[in-house]
Amino acid sequence: QEVFSIARSRGLQKIMARMASSQTGARQVFASLGFQPEALLADFVIDAQGRTQDLVIMSHDVTGFVN
């Protein structure tokens, strides 16, 4: 909640998070915090094994956040 308060106090409207689509745990954590999927960039990330992965961009609208 502190991150949302700081973002709002600085005049931000959205907080963005980016992760590989294979990071399901991270996606679940961000979703539980109120982040929504915003975009999917196909084959955008190359992992340590040289394989491409999709990049998921999630966002949280902090304009309605109340501390």
Side-chain angles (χ1 to χ4, degrees), residues 8 11-12 15 19-20 22 25 29-30 32 39-41 48 50 52 55-57 60 64-65 67:
R8 199 169 147 82
L12 299 178
I15 297 175
M19 65 218 71
S22 62
V29 168
F30 280 99
S32 73
L40 178 74
L41 304 176
T52 59
L55 181 71
V56 176
I57 300 174
H60 190 292
F65 179 76
N67 357 354

Side-chain angles (χ1 to χ4, degrees), residues 34-58:
F35 283 72
Q36 298 293 318
E38 182 121 353
L40 178 74
L41 304 176
D43 297 328
F44 195 80
V45 177
I46 299 175
D47 66 18
Q49 290 75 35
R51 297 177 299 215
T52 59
Q53 293 191 34
D54 298 343
L55 181 71
V56 176
I57 300 174
M58 299 178 79

Side-chain angles (χ1 to χ4, degrees), residues 7-39:
R8 199 169 147 82
S9 72
R10 294 182 181 239
L12 299 178
Q13 294 180 359
K14 282 188 178 183
I15 297 175
M16 308 295 287
R18 302 176 299 180
M19 65 218 71
S21 60
S22 62
Q23 296 177 295
T24 55
R27 289 169 45 203
Q28 290 172 347
V29 168
F30 280 99
S32 73
L33 294 170
F35 283 72
Q36 298 293 318
E38 182 121 353

